[in-house]
Amino acid sequence: MARVHEDSVREEQRQRLLDSAIRAIGRSGFDSVRLRDIAADAGVTTGMIQYYFDSRQAFLVAALEKVGLDQINSWSQIREVETDPWTRLTRLIAACADRNPGIAIERSAAWLEFCACACRHTELREILSAVNQRWREVVLETIQLGCASGVFRPVLDEETITDAIIAMLDGCEMSIGSQAGLVTSDEARAVATQVAEHLLNR
Amino acid sequence: MARVHEDSVREEQRQRLLDSAIRAIGRSGFDSVRLRDIAADAGVTTGMIQYYFDSRQAFLVAALEKVGLDQINSWSQIREVETDPWTRLTRLIAACADRNPGIAIERSAAWLEFCACACRHTELREILSAVNQRWREVVLETIQLGCASGVFRPVLDEETITDAIIAMLDGCEMSIGSQAGLVTSDEARAVATQVAEHLLNR
Amino acid sequence: MARVHEDSVREEQRQRLLDSAIRAIGRSGFDSVRLRDIAADAGVTTGMIQYYFDSRQAFLVAALEKVGLDQINSWSQIREVETDPWTRLTRLIAACADRNPGIAIERSAAWLEFCACACRHTELREILSAVNQRWREVVLETIQLGCASGVFRPVLDEETITDAIIAMLDGCEMSIGSQAGLVTSDEARAVATQVAEHLLNR
Amino acid sequence: MARVHEDSVREEQRQRLLDSAIRAIGRSGFDSVRLRDIAADAGVTTGMIQYYFDSRQAFLVAALEKVGLDQINSWSQIREVETDPWTRLTRLIAACADRNPGIAIERSAAWLEFCACACRHTELREILSAVNQRWREVVLETIQLGCASGVFRPVLDEETITDAIIAMLDGCEMSIGSQAGLVTSDEARAVATQVAEHLLNR
DNA sequence: TATGAATGAGGCTTCATTCAT
DNA sequence: AATGAATGAAGCCTCATTCAT
């Protein structure tokens, strides 16, 4: 029992450190963020980070992995709660495009970092692939559900529409994350929703 | 004359070094790329890079700036050459989605780095904003041209469609650049083209 | 308690490093001394020096500052201990002219470096001014003391004699420090003492 | 003839470069002055300096040597021109103490550098020794001249007085050169002159 | 003769990592 | 469990020097 309790305390600490890492990565970038900065954010010493994680690399990868997992969880939740295809789709869109202003902007930047780093860190690429795949499944399933029930009468095949919506949302993410974009997250959501509506001929 | 010649030689050298930097940034990332790697790529010494550029930072920023400028140039060329709105639009789409396999993949990754770094480097953000703005202008103008001539009968207002197309292409870029995407650049082009066709009701 | 103890250990380390720096500056000069040399002298790594001091510049300035402070301390001690004006004056003279053979010659050279560098490093100049001022105060006070008690019957006004003695000692310092001088420190002390005796008409 | 002429042009160039070096050494110090700075001062390229001198070290040593030789020349001139012992002595004192405000302050600083560097550069030490020796000869000879003619009735032996005067002047030099001194060059001259007058019992 | 492009050695500095406490 | 002193590898950068022109 004591053991279990201690483990859960340890796990809590790890999560706290990972959250600090995500914020710091968003601010300084995956490659140039310093353990010292993260430690400062968490109010601990660098030694403690090393005590909880094997190495800087493993620690930062775990942090980005958490970003992806949180993402997946949020989608899964929407999927379970929302049964109407169109409502579910708009909520999924909102979950992406909305994440930015609501939650800290660092998280959005961290996601961009995630994608940018994936091409040179195999571990990250694998995680990112998994997240992408899960994302596509959820969207595609939603569209298929709507088509099957006759709510959607798609003008293109379901997979193409799925890819289009996903690409649009990724593009908005990029635009907003870089802070050099031309659209706000509200506009992004509006655009994505309108286009989806037309492509699905709701 | 001699002076002019020498200056052009110097400029040529700078461009060569910048190209090497772009490739190296694509491989190693903006923050962790080493001058040594770039020098090796260009077949020169690190001292020479410092001889041509004031600092590592200034050098790398100039490299990413070049990526943006090359981008703009390629669009401008298409805009001048191609008069038919739809052909021009498909070529613009292809210019983005196609760039990846044709030219080195490093360039695509460098672009992703560009966007990811923009949020923490003011200089980069300004350049990226300018590139984005120019990109939007070219696409919007093309769509307006098609609408004016009756070739396009858009289902949404022109600006929304422009934003949608741009977002889609950015999203594809991100997906392909991260190498964790689910679509090839061929598929990306096909999706973007089909969606554009429908939105413009060509 | 633990905190206090740790701080004193840290301070001790700093002093050790500063002493090594003084020796090394005396050997290699303020500008060309290498952190590596100092580290070797202290038997530590260069990283440790940077751990204890912010930068090379700050470290070296602190080292020369210590030279000045040690100087001041030694004078203050003589001033407190010795009540007889003439004995005190001869001891002050000896404290300067004698420092060289007794203690390491590097300290003398370090002092010369101090003066030479002062003209281009503002921080050093300020410290040097303070040391000079204190030095003058102590000598002048001693002379005034002797005059007041009738032990000295000066042939020139007290300030002039003070300046003369100080200049003579500085000159000896320079001569000995440069190792190109024509007088030994014994001779220097003898000359300064004899001249002082005459000027004060003891 | 042509050869001779070219040689003199070459020699003139060298002197120009040496003068620039002296100024630059005064500003930046012997060890940290950069060839680039000296070249800028002289309005030439660094390549040219290397064309005229074998190495940085040899160049800078030659520059300081010139400072010493100029010094010696100025004393010799006074010695030849001035026959009255006391007038000659005061002019010698003035030549030292006055050099500072009259000529550029860099020259004074360069002299301090000279002395400070002598302890670690054998070549410099030899030159400095020679200059010191010559200086002592001139002063001693002047004093002996005055004693022989009965103008001076020294209170201490001639050598001691010589050493005292030289030390005082060196000390003033140091004080003024470091720019952290407590006396102006006018005051320095006054002090040295008064003390000399008393010691020589003129 | 003089230039300036290019080199490369070596310094300062940063920072992840280790380890004694 | 947690700290933080200490290490040492590696990067950027400076600058004297070389050499083709």
Side-chain angles (χ1 to χ4, degrees):
Chain A
M1 276 292 267
R3 182 110 216 105
V4 170
H5 179 254
E6 279 178 14
D7 278 3
S8 84
V9 166
R10 187 178 176 82
E11 187 51 31
E12 236 170 77
Q13 268 286 33
R14 285 174 58 96
Q15 293 302 320
R16 256 176 27 83
L17 294 178
L18 289 175
D19 284 330
S20 288
I22 293 168
R23 277 190 293 272
I25 290 174
R27 279 194 301 271
S28 311
F30 185 88
D31 287 311
S32 55
V33 71
R34 293 173 302 176
L35 253 31
R36 186 195 302 171
D37 298 335
I38 302 175
D41 183 291
V44 299
T45 62
T46 62
M48 182 167 163
I49 292 177
Q50 311 247 10
Y51 179 72
Y52 275 92
F53 296 89
D54 287 340
S55 69
R56 175 184 189 273
Q57 180 75 4
F59 177 43
L60 296 186
V61 167
L64 290 191
E65 186 165 14
K66 182 170 156 63
V67 175
L69 293 180
D70 287 353
Q71 197 84 286
I72 289 180
N73 283 337
S74 112
W75 298 328
S76 297
Q77 221 171 337
I78 293 174
R79 180 175 164 280
E80 281 176 25
V81 172
E82 209 65 60
T83 53
D84 175 61
W86 179 246
T87 316
R88 189 198 289 179
L89 189 61
T90 53
R91 282 203 55 193
L92 286 172
I93 289 173
C96 276
D98 233 18
R99 209 188 50 210
N100 309 289
I103 311 182
I105 190 148
E106 281 102 350
R107 207 172 179 85
S108 211
W111 179 253
L112 237 188
E113 276 298 314
F114 194 169
C115 297
C117 291
C119 65
R120 44 185 199 284
H121 295 294
T122 310
E123 301 142 292
L124 289 179
R125 190 154 63 235
E126 286 168 3
I127 300 170
L128 180 56
S129 284
V131 175
N132 280 340
Q133 197 165 346
R134 179 64 187 146
W135 176 222
R136 196 172 188 278
E137 281 170 13
V138 174
V139 174
L140 181 56
E141 191 202 53
T142 304
I143 290 177
Q144 287 173 331
L145 193 65
C147 292
S149 67
V151 180
F152 299 159
R153 282 156 302 163
V155 298
L156 292 168
D157 76 274
E158 296 161 352
E159 306 237 341
T160 301
I161 294 176
T162 301
D163 289 337
I165 291 174
I166 288 178
M168 257 190 303
L169 291 175
D170 279 348
C172 292
E173 191 81 46
M174 191 158 150
S175 183
I176 295 164
S178 72
Q179 297 183 36
L182 307 167
V183 293
T184 67
S185 62
D186 280 344
E187 292 168 344
R189 192 175 53 249
V191 168
T193 310
Q194 287 181 60
V195 171
E197 202 162 11
H198 265 279
L199 293 179
L200 295 168
N201 198 14
R202 190 173 66 100
Chain B
M1 278 287 270
R3 182 107 221 115
V4 170
H5 178 255
E6 279 177 14
D7 278 4
S8 84
V9 166
R10 188 178 175 82
E11 186 52 33
E12 239 169 74
Q13 274 286 34
R14 283 174 60 97
Q15 293 302 320
R16 255 174 30 82
L17 294 178
L18 289 175
D19 284 328
S20 288
I22 293 168
R23 278 190 293 272
I25 289 174
R27 280 194 300 270
S28 312
F30 184 89
D31 287 311
S32 57
V33 69
R34 292 171 300 179
L35 253 31
R36 183 197 300 171
D37 298 336
I38 303 176
D41 182 292
V44 299
T45 63
T46 61
M48 180 169 163
I49 293 177
Q50 314 250 7
Y51 178 72
Y52 276 93
F53 296 90
D54 286 341
S55 68
R56 176 185 188 274
Q57 179 75 4
F59 177 44
L60 296 186
V61 167
L64 289 192
E65 185 166 17
K66 183 171 157 60
V67 174
L69 293 180
D70 287 352
Q71 198 83 287
I72 289 181
N73 283 338
S74 113
W75 299 327
S76 297
Q77 221 172 337
I78 293 174
R79 179 174 165 283
E80 281 176 25
V81 172
E82 209 65 61
T83 52
D84 176 61
W86 178 247
T87 315
R88 190 197 286 181
L89 189 61
T90 53
R91 283 203 54 190
L92 287 171
I93 290 173
C96 277
D98 231 19
R99 209 188 50 209
N100 310 288
I103 309 180
I105 189 148
E106 282 99 351
R107 207 173 181 87
S108 210
W111 181 254
L112 235 187
E113 277 298 313
F114 193 169
C115 298
C117 292
C119 63
R120 46 203 148 78
H121 295 291
T122 310
E123 303 144 290
L124 288 180
R125 189 153 63 236
E126 285 169 5
I127 300 171
L128 181 55
S129 285
V131 174
N132 280 340
Q133 195 165 349
R134 179 64 187 149
W135 176 222
R136 196 173 188 279
E137 280 170 16
V138 174
V139 173
L140 181 56
E141 190 203 54
T142 304
I143 289 176
Q144 288 173 330
L145 192 67
C147 293
S149 68
V151 181
F152 299 159
R153 283 155 301 163
V155 298
L156 293 167
D157 78 274
E158 296 161 353
E159 305 238 341
T160 302
I161 293 177
T162 300
D163 289 338
I165 291 174
I166 287 178
M168 252 191 304
L169 291 176
D170 278 349
C172 291
E173 191 81 47
M174 192 158 151
S175 182
I176 295 164
S178 71
Q179 298 182 35
L182 307 167
V183 293
T184 66
S185 63
D186 280 343
E187 292 168 345
R189 190 174 57 247
V191 167
T193 309
Q194 286 181 59
V195 171
E197 204 164 8
H198 265 280
L199 294 179
L200 294 169
N201 197 16
R202 187 175 68 99
Chain C
M1 278 287 268
R3 182 107 223 117
V4 169
H5 178 253
E6 279 177 14
D7 278 4
S8 84
V9 167
R10 188 179 176 81
E11 188 50 33
E12 238 170 75
Q13 273 285 34
R14 284 175 59 97
Q15 293 303 321
R16 256 175 29 81
L17 294 178
L18 288 176
D19 283 330
S20 288
I22 293 167
R23 277 190 293 273
I25 289 175
R27 280 195 300 271
S28 312
F30 184 88
D31 288 311
S32 56
V33 70
R34 292 171 300 180
L35 253 31
R36 185 197 299 169
D37 298 336
I38 302 176
D41 183 291
V44 300
T45 62
T46 62
M48 180 171 162
I49 294 177
Q50 313 252 7
Y51 179 71
Y52 277 92
F53 296 89
D54 285 340
S55 67
R56 176 186 187 273
Q57 179 75 5
F59 177 43
L60 297 186
V61 167
L64 289 192
E65 186 165 16
K66 182 171 157 62
V67 175
L69 294 180
D70 286 353
Q71 198 82 287
I72 288 180
N73 284 338
S74 113
W75 298 327
S76 298
Q77 221 171 335
I78 292 173
R79 179 176 166 280
E80 282 176 25
V81 172
E82 210 65 60
T83 53
D84 175 61
W86 178 247
T87 316
R88 190 198 285 179
L89 189 61
T90 53
R91 282 203 56 191
L92 286 172
I93 290 173
C96 278
D98 231 20
R99 209 189 50 209
N100 310 286
I103 309 181
I105 189 148
E106 282 99 352
R107 206 173 181 88
S108 210
W111 180 255
L112 236 187
E113 278 297 314
F114 194 168
C115 298
C117 291
C119 64
R120 46 204 148 76
H121 295 291
T122 310
E123 302 143 291
L124 289 180
R125 190 153 63 236
E126 285 168 6
I127 300 169
L128 181 55
S129 284
V131 175
N132 280 340
Q133 196 166 347
R134 180 64 186 148
W135 177 222
R136 196 173 187 279
E137 280 170 15
V138 174
V139 174
L140 181 57
E141 190 203 52
T142 304
I143 289 176
Q144 288 173 331
L145 192 66
C147 294
S149 68
V151 181
F152 299 158
R153 283 156 301 162
V155 298
L156 292 168
D157 77 275
E158 296 162 353
E159 305 239 341
T160 302
I161 293 177
T162 301
D163 289 337
I165 291 175
I166 287 178
M168 255 190 304
L169 290 175
D170 278 347
C172 292
E173 191 81 47
M174 190 157 150
S175 183
I176 295 164
S178 71
Q179 297 182 35
L182 307 167
V183 293
T184 66
S185 62
D186 280 344
E187 292 168 345
R189 189 174 56 247
V191 168
T193 309
Q194 287 182 59
V195 171
E197 202 163 10
H198 266 280
L199 294 179
L200 295 169
N201 197 14
R202 189 175 65 98
Chain D
M1 278 289 269
R3 184 109 214 105
V4 170
H5 178 254
E6 279 178 12
D7 278 4
S8 84
V9 167
R10 188 178 174 82
E11 187 51 33
E12 237 171 75
Q13 268 287 32
R14 285 174 58 96
Q15 293 302 319
R16 257 176 28 82
L17 294 178
L18 289 175
D19 284 330
S20 289
I22 293 167
R23 278 190 293 273
I25 289 174
R27 281 194 300 271
S28 311
F30 185 87
D31 286 312
S32 56
V33 70
R34 294 173 302 177
L35 254 30
R36 187 194 301 171
D37 297 335
I38 303 176
D41 183 291
V44 300
T45 63
T46 61
M48 183 166 161
I49 293 178
Q50 312 248 7
Y51 179 72
Y52 275 92
F53 296 89
D54 285 340
S55 69
R56 175 185 189 273
Q57 180 76 3
F59 176 44
L60 297 186
V61 167
L64 289 192
E65 186 166 14
K66 183 170 156 62
V67 174
L69 293 180
D70 287 353
Q71 197 84 287
I72 289 180
N73 283 337
S74 111
W75 298 328
S76 298
Q77 222 171 337
I78 293 174
R79 180 174 165 282
E80 281 176 24
V81 172
E82 209 65 62
T83 53
D84 176 62
W86 178 247
T87 316
R88 190 197 287 180
L89 189 61
T90 53
R91 282 203 56 191
L92 286 172
I93 289 173
C96 276
D98 233 18
R99 210 189 50 211
N100 310 287
I103 310 183
I105 189 145
E106 280 102 350
R107 207 172 181 85
S108 210
W111 180 254
L112 236 186
E113 277 298 315
F114 194 168
C115 297
C117 291
C119 65
R120 43 185 200 284
H121 295 293
T122 310
E123 301 143 291
L124 289 179
R125 189 154 64 236
E126 286 168 3
I127 300 170
L128 181 57
S129 284
V131 174
N132 279 340
Q133 196 165 348
R134 179 64 187 149
W135 177 223
R136 196 171 188 279
E137 280 169 16
V138 174
V139 174
L140 181 56
E141 191 202 53
T142 304
I143 290 177
Q144 287 175 329
L145 193 66
C147 294
S149 67
V151 182
F152 299 159
R153 283 155 302 163
V155 299
L156 292 168
D157 77 273
E158 297 160 354
E159 306 238 341
T160 302
I161 294 177
T162 302
D163 289 337
I165 291 175
I166 287 178
M168 254 190 305
L169 291 175
D170 279 348
C172 292
E173 191 81 46
M174 193 158 149
S175 183
I176 294 164
S178 71
Q179 297 183 35
L182 308 166
V183 293
T184 66
S185 63
D186 279 344
E187 294 167 344
R189 193 174 52 248
V191 167
T193 309
Q194 288 181 60
V195 171
E197 204 164 9
H198 264 280
L199 294 179
L200 294 169
N201 197 16
R202 190 174 66 99

